[in-house]
Amino acid sequence: MLKLLKFVFPPLLAGLGIAFLVVFFSPNMRTALLPNVPLPSAMTASHLSFADAVKRAAPSVVTIFSESISKEPRYKRQNTVQELGSGVIMSSDGYILTNYHVINNADQILVILTDGRRFFDVQLIGFDTITDLALLKINANHLPVIPINDDYTTSVGDLVLAIGNPLNLGQTITQGIISATGKQKITDSPYNNLLQMDAAINVGNSGGALVNSNGDLVGITSAQFKTRENLNIQGIFFAVPYTLVKEVMGKLIRHGRVVRGYLGFEGTAVDSTGKEVNDSLTPVAGLRITNIDPLGPAWQAGIQEQDIVIKIAGLSVANPQNVLKKIGSTEPGKEIEFELYRNGEIQKIMVEVAELETKK
């Protein structure tokens, strides 16, 4: 009898083990046996899908055609230049965001909705060259609006979907992940910051929507990165983050333009010893003035090169990006207090903010 059990039990136990694995890893069986431990909402028994996110967001992404007519003085001949882009419906009554370069100098703008409706009478509310954003308005109501979650914070590693009309192929979805946030060096302005991702952005995608896996707006897709040799780099694309998009759109609706404060200096982050900070791990203690506009507000108030700024408007420069944001959001004409270190002494200087001039 013992010999019989010796030969019977091992195969029996092995078979039970295999059955347990099949049951545990089968989504249907796992759900049946463990009803209180739900699977992710996007999962089914056979696939992972973002169809719900696309259904929520895609109807609010439009196609934009812009046409500009230029004359050659010598031949008095007209040339027509057409641009293709995308846009995002931000309100049910017709506010649409896109990239400024899509409609720059346009004499005619055409907006096409996903349901086929066409709008030729498109109003340009305003634009901002620094963020490359433009706000349009069409005469319509009850439009599909892009889902927005103000509590959502974009993080490196988040999965994102880019929705637009690349190459006029029709609405297209590309997928990627956020690889960096707060990118400034690829623009010429410290007042801008971008999201970096690898969701493909091609001609026609500009101005489209970047959404998360729930379909909520993450940003407005923008330019593809190019080197100085004008070589395309694969897998590096950018978008204007929603927090900045919201701020710019609000100003364009209220004023028709974006007004930013200007002080006229550039600086380098330094640590407590005055050494330049080149990494994200070393704490920033101040901002050394490296370049100053000789006609700007900072110079006129007495700020000098090599001064180390410790606080601006009571705000520590431990995060230089927040300091620049504070300056940019300050209304021209108001004064800001500088607390700085010069020749071994702490000094306080009041500086009147001017308006930042932008080129079209």
Side-chain angles (χ1 to χ4, degrees):
M1 184 68 175
L2 290 176
K3 290 183 179 180
L4 179 63
L5 292 175
K6 179 179 179 181
F7 286 103
V8 171
F9 265 102
L12 179 62
L13 290 174
L16 289 174
I18 294 172
F20 172 77
L21 291 174
V22 170
V23 169
F24 185 79
F25 287 105
S26 168
N28 291 334
M29 293 300 294
R30 181 175 181 272
T31 302
L33 294 175
L34 302 173
N36 296 323
V37 186
L39 291 169
S41 59
M43 289 191 66
T44 67
S46 60
H47 71 285
L48 180 67
S49 174
F50 300 103
D52 289 342
V54 174
K55 288 178 182 178
R56 293 186 69 214
S60 62
V61 180
V62 303
T63 297
I64 297 176
F65 289 97
S66 67
E67 184 175 279
S68 58
I69 301 174
S70 61
K71 292 183 179 180
E72 296 183 6
R74 185 176 179 182
Y75 301 102
K76 296 183 179 180
R77 183 175 59 186
Q78 290 185 340
N79 287 328
T80 301
V81 179
Q82 291 184 332
E83 293 286 345
L84 168 68
S86 300
V88 181
I89 300 175
M90 302 297 295
S91 70
S92 61
D93 59 348
Y95 282 110
I96 297 174
L97 272 175
T98 186
N99 282 157
Y100 170 63
H101 72 262
V102 172
I103 54 86
N104 183 18
N105 296 321
D107 295 301
Q108 177 70 53
I109 300 174
L110 167 65
V111 171
I112 304 177
L113 273 57
T114 55
D115 60 12
R117 282 182 289 171
R118 296 170 176 252
F119 294 85
F120 293 90
D121 187 15
V122 180
Q123 180 184 3
L124 174 61
I125 300 298
F127 59 86
D128 180 42
T129 57
I130 288 179
T131 55
D132 191 27
L133 292 175
L135 183 64
L136 308 177
K137 180 73 166 61
I138 60 175
N139 186 20
N141 291 296
H142 309 297
L143 296 173
V145 179
I146 190 75
I148 291 174
N149 180 2
D150 285 315
D151 296 327
Y152 172 76
T153 301
T154 306
S155 301
V156 173
D158 286 355
L159 186 145
V160 287
L161 307 171
I163 308 176
N165 182 10
L167 307 175
N168 200 23
L169 296 174
Q171 194 171 80
T172 302
I173 318 295
T174 57
Q175 178 212 330
I177 63 168
I178 298 293
S179 55
T181 60
K183 302 291 286 188
Q184 288 184 319
K185 291 185 177 180
I186 51 100
T187 69
D188 294 328
S189 173
Y191 300 94
N192 194 11
N193 65 83
L194 298 176
L195 301 174
Q196 179 179 317
M197 76 283 186
D198 61 349
I201 304 297
N202 293 294
V203 176
N205 269 110
S206 290
L210 187 71
V211 303
N212 61 21
S213 56
N214 291 322
D216 301 320
L217 184 66
V218 172
I220 301 296
T221 55
S222 190
Q224 178 180 356
F225 175 70
K226 293 184 179 180
T227 65
R228 291 182 179 179
E229 294 78 17
N230 206 33
L231 298 175
N232 290 339
I233 304 299
Q234 299 300 315
I236 302 179
F237 305 93
F238 298 96
V240 183
Y242 168 66
T243 52
L244 185 54
V245 166
K246 180 181 179 181
E247 177 186 342
V248 169
M249 184 178 72
K251 291 181 178 180
L252 292 177
I253 291 176
R254 290 191 299 270
H255 310 296
R257 64 192 185 101
V258 177
V259 176
R260 292 183 177 87
Y262 173 72
L263 293 180
F265 69 86
E266 295 177 356
T268 301
V270 295
D271 61 17
S272 58
T273 67
K275 183 180 179 181
E276 183 176 339
V277 174
N278 293 314
D279 58 77
S280 59
L281 300 177
T282 304
V284 174
L287 198 69
R288 177 183 284 116
I289 304 298
T290 58
N291 188 25
I292 192 164
D293 178 0
L295 298 177
W299 178 84
Q300 292 177 2
I303 306 294
Q304 301 175 9
E305 289 189 11
Q306 299 307 311
D307 285 347
I308 297 179
V309 181
I310 302 171
K311 290 184 179 180
I312 298 179
L315 183 67
S316 170
V317 298
N319 189 330
Q321 192 173 1
N322 285 344
V323 170
L324 291 170
K325 183 178 180 180
K326 171 63 178 178
I327 295 171
S329 61
T330 300
E331 184 179 342
K334 291 188 175 181
E335 289 189 331
I336 289 182
E337 182 183 71
F338 273 58
E339 185 173 325
L340 54 87
Y341 186 79
R342 180 193 295 172
N343 298 327
E345 296 181 352
I346 300 294
Q347 298 190 22
K348 293 184 178 180
I349 299 177
M350 299 299 295
V351 183
E352 183 177 327
V353 177
E355 182 177 344
L356 177 68
E357 296 182 1
T358 56
K359 297 180 180 180
K360 183 175 179 179

